[in-house]
Amino acid sequence: MSEIIAYQCELNEGIHARPAGHIERLCNTFQSDVCWKNIRSGIQGNGKSALSVVATDTLFNDACEISLSGKDAAEAAQQLRALLKKLPSFEVSQAEEATAPAGYLPRSLRETRLDFIQGSRISGGVAIAKPVRIQSLSLNEMLARNPGGEYSAEQQQRIFLAGLATLKDEKLTALEIKTGVEHDILQAHLSIVTDATFQSQITSAIANGENTWNSVIKSAMEFCDILNRSASKYIKERSLDVLDITGQLIMAIYGTGALPQNSLELTQPSIILANSLTPSQFLGINKQYLAGLVLSATGKTSHTAILARSLGIPTLTDIDFTALTLEANTDIIIDGNPGILITAPDEQVLRYYRHEITVQQLMQQQMMAGVMQPATTCDNHRVEIAGNIASVAEAEAAFNNGAEGIGLFRTEMSFMDRKTPPDYRELADLYGQVMALADGRPVIFRTFDIGGDKPVDYLDTGEEENPFLGFRAVRTYPRYRDLFAMQLKAILSASALGEAKIMIPMIANVDEVIWCREVLEEVKSTMRDEGLPFNDAISLGVMLEIPSVLFAIGEIADYADFFSVGSNDLTQYFFAADRGNSQVESVYDNYAPSFLRALKLAVEEVHRAGKWIGLCGELGASSDFLPLLVGMGFDELSMSGTAIPGVKHTLRELDFTKCQRLVQEIVSVKRSAGVKSALRSPEVRAISKMPILTPEFILYALDAGDKNEAIKMMTDNLWLHHRTDNRDRLTDDIWAREDSFSTAVGYGFAIPHTKSDHIQHSTISMATLAKPIMWGDQQVETVFMLTVSKSADPNEHMKYFSTLARKLMKEDFRNEIKQAENVTVLYNLMASTLAI
């Protein structure tokens, strides 16, 4: 029997390692042969080999013909068609950080006249450290190291299979303990290790007289050649994984001394420059001293890049450093925001970046200082700030960042990327670890949201035309009742260790809630019979993601203890716009007044029913939406752990009453553009008008090396005291005046000034300098900086400018400033002078 499947690739990155792995695993359950042919390239591959499928160079929109021949071809074709339809939902997008505007360097950085090499950012951040080169062996170089030796073909096959089995066991063992990105990469590497075509080529080469060393490396070279011929950069980058596995396989066969190993034992802060750093090499680096990475042959979607980004290590690529002369004891600099490498920084550039790192650290310390305190507005309105997690590691990070609980534990991650579902013991152990970290703080376990757009291989959820509107989450529970009950049992066991709560996803009507509560009560009864401890009063809540729930809150509240808005899904269902589809991104609009009215309605209806309501989604971490969500009355906001310190800090500056007024204004706006305009500078902070001069803005004996440093340091001080949210653009505005005319006014004084959108509260800053600097063609010892808000009185900055100019004409006033010995004396002098 034979079947033909016509397939058109819907994956943006084409058929790469991850989808090919799913295809390989499924096809190897069939007796039938599977031939994959890419019509565009004409290349054919074996469907039972992930590498062979990847090698067909199947890109987005490519038409393919898949032939199945064998006695189970009909059934095999049916299952393969279903899998191919699901493949887009398996894609995990690696979110990249927002990049700086194209070609933009802050003016204060441009003023240093630095020389730099432009690269591409993988992970942002600044690093200053000593360079360490790592020259990885290429496959050709590995081939040249063949140790030779006389062995029979039978012996060669035996040592190959033994080494292969050893490496496979190592990967399987590691998979059991790794999570997140590392787990995904191990899974991709395991698919190469177990690839049927890869193994077949090696054993065929051995049978034809090659020794094992040559057979392994030549087979890898052949696959890399095929990958490198692909038009897809993403698929080309998979050759680095083949190189990685090849080196590991050689060492598994011949011993760890078979290939020279670069020393990755760093003893001081270091920036590693590597031509092709493999994932396993990266994982072996001592992260304590790894300040940054420069990778010449690693793209943004390589597994090494993904690991670096997940750990927040400043990393650049697309830089050819082979011809660079780098001194081992001389610092180099990575600036990840504009994606530049500075290999020979002078003292001016080093001063700039040392200051920048210090400022960033001070801001981070500010954010963390009160992070363990409860989140309240300035007028004592309480809002619980919680974390969204999917693993124990994320839970630990969230609590360290000040999470007051876990508002969303995405438990389905434990059900995915595996051949069988987890069992009760596994889940109970995982949930127990999170409860131990919570130490009495609440943890909301969202029951598994799988099926539909997040299918798993071991559940036959069927083929669907529109999985986002299909068979997923709570809709699957009646069919897989035992699995649902088992998870409830694990959560109930965790409830004996702390404040565990249960949350059901994708609820559309009250009957679903009633059914879930009935199952929960049955599980409780079974646990009582088994003598297992649990909290009988455990809360059961529902996610508000489907718009129908907005109009059923009253009846659902009779059976649910709390509600939580899933902002991402609610938005896409509200507008019928897939949040991942760029063609309808303008329709997916959180700023739409209708959507904001829906959120307000939800809060009002839940509170009317006497229940509490949270919001789990990154909308809660948005600086635009935080005042609105607080003003609407959400009891809890849940977000990624990294966002928590900043949100708690901002929350304490908000006035709840003003936030409520803002909500009333916003919901009456007619268009999204009006909402965005109103949220640019809303009147919601505790203090609407701050003093124009305070002691914090007087810098005594400032160690500025030049005019540029003085402007940057004074602007950074405004940022650290929350007078500006965009110091780079504020600095640009100050320099725009300097470009027109120097603001040095004589007698050793300068008065830089601007009226800017990027200053929230008009401020007069002052700095006496540790040593005079040149300001244009004049020497300056004291700087007054006037930064005036665009919303201020049109004549405000000129009023203060002219007052200062008049006073500076008087020698007595100038001498008082020059003779002042501390900030207090200077502040009192300035306050009386400006009548503040």
Side-chain angles (χ1 to χ4, degrees):
M1 295 179 64
S2 62
E3 292 279 340
I4 301 291
I5 297 175
Y7 169 67
Q8 186 169 23
C9 181
E10 300 176 280
L11 305 181
N12 290 331
E13 302 292 353
I15 301 291
H16 53 88
R18 187 179 175 88
H22 286 290
I23 293 165
E24 173 200 65
R25 286 191 289 275
L26 177 63
C27 289
N28 276 299
T29 65
F30 311 145
Q31 293 182 22
S32 294
D33 294 327
V34 183
C35 177
W36 184 294
K37 181 179 180 181
N38 183 337
I39 304 301
R40 175 186 58 81
S41 67
I43 302 173
Q44 295 188 21
N46 178 4
K48 296 187 175 183
S49 162
L51 283 176
S52 185
V53 173
V54 171
T56 63
D57 194 23
T58 300
L59 307 180
F60 177 66
N61 267 341
D62 276 358
C64 300
E65 183 179 273
I66 306 166
S67 306
L68 301 93
S69 56
K71 62 181 182 181
D72 60 354
E75 181 184 351
Q78 182 180 4
Q79 293 186 43
L80 184 55
R81 285 191 184 96
L83 173 64
L84 294 174
K85 197 154 185 103
K86 293 177 184 178
L87 283 182
S89 66
F90 290 132
E91 287 295 86
V92 178
S93 61
Q94 298 297 331
E96 295 181 19
E97 304 166 18
T99 57
Y104 175 77
L105 289 180
R107 175 63 182 268
S108 52
L109 180 55
R110 298 200 304 274
E111 284 293 315
T112 66
R113 303 291 193 271
L114 77 166
D115 289 324
F116 61 87
I117 300 169
Q118 184 67 57
S120 299
R121 174 169 70 174
I122 286 175
S123 180
V126 174
I128 305 175
K130 303 294 187 293
V132 174
R133 289 181 186 261
I134 294 178
Q135 187 71 28
S136 300
L137 287 178
S138 67
L139 289 172
N140 278 320
E141 289 167 331
M142 287 187 196
L143 190 64
R145 293 175 178 271
N146 190 333
E150 295 295 328
Y151 300 96
S152 67
E154 184 180 341
Q155 287 174 306
Q156 297 287 348
Q157 294 281 14
R158 189 161 54 246
I159 65 170
F160 163 62
L161 293 174
L164 189 69
T166 298
L167 185 58
K168 179 181 176 182
D169 288 344
E170 288 175 3
K171 297 295 179 187
L172 289 171
T173 300
L175 272 174
E176 293 178 359
I177 58 175
K178 297 296 183 181
T179 58
V181 176
E182 288 190 37
H183 182 279
D184 292 342
I185 292 170
L186 281 167
Q187 186 72 60
H189 282 189
L190 183 62
S191 71
I192 298 174
V193 173
T194 58
D195 189 88
T197 300
F198 190 40
Q199 292 180 31
S200 175
Q201 282 198 245
I202 295 170
T203 56
S204 294
I206 292 172
N208 290 330
E210 292 275 14
N211 71 359
T212 301
W213 186 289
N214 273 9
S215 300
V216 169
I217 296 174
K218 286 184 176 180
S219 296
M221 292 171 76
E222 185 174 333
F223 271 107
C224 286
D225 285 344
I226 295 170
L227 295 176
N228 288 326
R229 287 198 296 269
S230 172
S232 166
K233 187 176 180 181
Y234 188 92
I235 290 176
K236 288 177 181 177
E237 288 168 2
R238 302 286 74 79
S239 62
L240 190 61
D241 295 300
V242 176
L243 173 66
D244 198 359
I245 286 299
T246 302
Q248 293 178 53
L249 183 54
I250 287 292
M251 288 186 287
I253 296 168
Y254 290 91
T256 54
L259 294 172
Q261 297 299 297
N262 288 295
S263 175
L264 301 179
E265 291 300 319
L266 305 178
T267 58
Q268 63 179 339
S270 304
I271 293 174
I272 287 180
L273 297 95
N275 61 327
S276 54
L277 190 73
T278 66
S280 61
Q281 286 176 319
F282 176 87
L283 293 171
I285 296 172
N286 182 352
K287 306 304 185 298
Q288 178 183 356
Y289 293 118
L290 180 58
L293 291 169
V294 180
L295 306 170
S296 64
T298 297
K300 294 183 179 181
T301 57
S302 74
H303 285 144
T304 302
I306 291 167
L307 283 167
R309 193 181 302 122
S310 71
L311 295 176
I313 296 169
T315 305
L316 304 180
T317 189
D318 295 336
I319 292 179
D320 182 6
F321 51 79
T322 54
L324 297 178
T325 301
L326 299 175
E327 299 293 333
N329 293 318
T330 301
D331 283 332
I332 64 173
I333 300 173
I334 287 175
D335 187 345
N337 192 40
I340 60 176
L341 171 67
I342 306 163
T343 59
D346 61 17
E347 186 57 29
Q348 187 181 29
V349 174
L350 285 168
R351 281 174 62 90
Y352 176 94
Y353 278 109
R354 286 169 186 153
H355 171 74
E356 179 62 19
I357 290 173
T358 299
V359 170
Q360 291 281 0
Q361 290 173 342
L362 287 171
M363 180 59 84
Q364 182 64 15
Q365 289 168 12
Q366 279 190 38
M367 296 295 102
M368 296 299 293
V371 80
M372 295 303 171
Q373 300 300 316
T376 57
T377 62
C378 67
D379 47 349
N380 294 317
H381 175 73
R382 181 83 168 87
V383 182
E384 185 177 324
I385 303 298
N388 296 336
I389 68 164
S391 66
V392 173
E394 287 181 298
E396 185 173 16
F399 287 127
N400 288 340
N401 278 329
E404 300 172 72
I406 300 301
L408 174 64
F409 187 164
R410 299 183 181 93
T411 64
E412 61 270 9
M413 298 306 172
S414 301
F415 291 75
M416 301 179 74
D417 285 329
R418 55 194 297 161
K419 294 182 178 179
T420 58
D423 59 22
Y424 162 72
R425 291 296 172 193
E426 179 183 342
L427 294 184
D429 178 64
L430 171 63
Y431 300 167
Q433 291 180 59
V434 173
M435 295 307 299
L437 288 169
D439 193 23
R441 288 166 288 197
V443 177
I444 298 177
F445 293 85
R446 182 177 74 181
T447 51
F448 61 81
D449 182 4
I450 55 181
D453 66 313
K454 288 182 283 187
V456 294
D457 292 340
Y458 54 81
L459 297 183
D460 182 19
T461 53
E463 189 174 329
E464 296 186 273
E465 288 295 325
N466 191 336
F468 282 104
L469 300 179
F471 191 55
R472 60 175 284 199
V474 69
R475 300 169 183 184
T476 70
Y477 296 173
R479 181 182 297 181
Y480 304 110
R481 186 189 181 286
D482 289 347
L483 192 62
F484 175 54
M486 181 274 291
Q487 186 183 28
L488 290 178
K489 182 179 180 181
I491 298 172
L492 283 167
S493 293
S495 73
L497 306 174
E499 192 181 351
K501 299 181 181 181
I502 301 167
M503 183 162 66
I504 311 297
M506 288 291 290
I507 288 291
N509 58 65
V510 68
D511 292 329
E512 292 169 331
V513 186
I514 294 171
W515 184 87
C516 289
R517 191 167 279 285
E518 288 172 350
V519 175
L520 177 63
E521 293 305 318
E522 291 174 20
V523 175
K524 287 181 182 179
S525 178
T526 301
M527 292 181 71
R528 290 189 195 98
D529 294 342
E530 295 174 354
L532 297 175
F534 63 90
N535 174 18
D536 192 44
I538 189 170
S539 295
L540 176 71
V542 303
M543 288 201 75
L544 201 166
E545 301 163 283
I546 298 175
S548 61
V549 175
L550 289 168
F551 307 98
I553 288 172
E555 53 264 37
I556 290 176
D558 290 338
Y559 300 92
D561 300 305
F562 65 90
F563 293 76
S564 185
V565 172
S567 59
N568 295 340
D569 271 338
L570 178 60
T571 308
Q572 77 169 350
Y573 291 135
F574 192 84
F575 294 107
D578 178 1
R579 63 177 185 261
N581 187 336
S582 60
Q583 296 185 91
V584 294
E585 62 185 358
S586 62
V587 182
Y588 183 96
D589 183 9
N590 292 130
Y591 291 90
S594 58
F595 177 73
L596 297 175
R597 292 183 202 116
L599 291 181
K600 182 172 179 288
L601 172 66
V603 176
E604 291 170 347
E605 289 297 306
V606 171
H607 284 169
R608 185 175 290 111
K611 311 290 182 174
W612 74 263
I613 182 169
L615 181 142
C616 50
E618 295 314 302
L619 200 64
S622 164
S623 57
D624 274 1
F625 288 94
L626 183 61
L628 287 177
L629 300 175
V630 170
M632 288 176 186
F634 278 96
D635 303 292
E636 176 227 53
L637 301 174
S638 185
M639 62 203 66
S640 66
T642 55
I644 291 171
V647 168
K648 292 183 83 170
H649 188 278
T650 302
L651 186 68
R652 295 188 184 105
E653 297 180 340
L654 299 181
D655 183 299
F656 177 54
T657 302
K658 291 181 179 179
C659 290
Q660 288 179 304
R661 285 202 293 266
L662 176 67
V663 171
Q664 295 305 318
E665 295 170 13
I666 290 294
V667 296
S668 65
V669 173
K670 304 299 183 185
R671 301 177 62 190
S672 298
V675 171
K676 291 177 182 178
S677 176
L679 293 179
R680 282 197 191 103
S681 55
E683 183 62 37
V684 291
R685 294 182 183 264
I687 303 171
S688 58
K689 186 175 177 60
M690 290 186 173
I692 196 165
L693 176 70
T694 66
E696 289 79 13
F697 299 108
I698 296 179
L699 305 176
Y700 182 79
L702 183 68
D703 181 23
D706 55 27
K707 171 182 176 178
N708 180 54
E709 276 193 12
I711 291 174
K712 176 170 172 54
M713 289 176 170
M714 296 176 79
T715 309
D716 286 343
N717 189 51
L718 290 167
W719 183 60
L720 288 171
H721 289 90
H722 308 285
R723 295 290 178 103
T724 179
D725 288 332
N726 195 331
R727 59 198 170 118
D728 287 340
R729 293 302 189 186
L730 179 59
T731 301
D732 289 349
D733 288 346
I734 292 168
W735 269 103
R737 296 268 182 163
E738 295 295 326
D739 290 337
S740 300
F741 56 88
S742 171
T743 56
V745 294
Y747 307 106
F749 291 86
I751 312 178
H753 55 283
T754 187
K755 193 167 189 180
S756 172
D757 282 325
H758 303 295
I759 188 79
Q760 293 167 350
H761 303 280
S762 297
T763 308
I764 297 175
S765 303
M766 178 183 180
T768 62
L769 304 179
K771 57 183 181 296
I773 60 176
M774 292 305 298
W775 202 285
D777 58 357
Q778 298 184 40
Q779 196 173 68
V780 165
E781 297 171 327
T782 304
V783 181
F784 297 98
M785 179 186 286
L786 309 183
T787 45
V788 180
S789 169
K790 277 280 181 71
S791 61
D793 184 289
N795 298 316
E796 183 173 358
H797 77 289
M798 286 308 301
K799 177 181 72 172
Y800 291 115
F801 188 96
S802 58
T803 300
L804 280 171
R806 286 195 304 272
K807 293 293 289 185
L808 289 173
M809 296 293 292
K810 298 180 179 179
E811 186 176 0
D812 289 348
F813 179 72
R814 298 197 302 269
N815 289 336
E816 284 185 89
I817 290 176
K818 293 176 180 179
Q819 293 165 10
E821 296 181 348
N822 55 50
V823 168
T824 302
V825 173
L826 285 169
Y827 173 72
N828 290 334
L829 175 63
M830 292 302 299
S832 60
T833 297
L834 299 171
I836 295 172

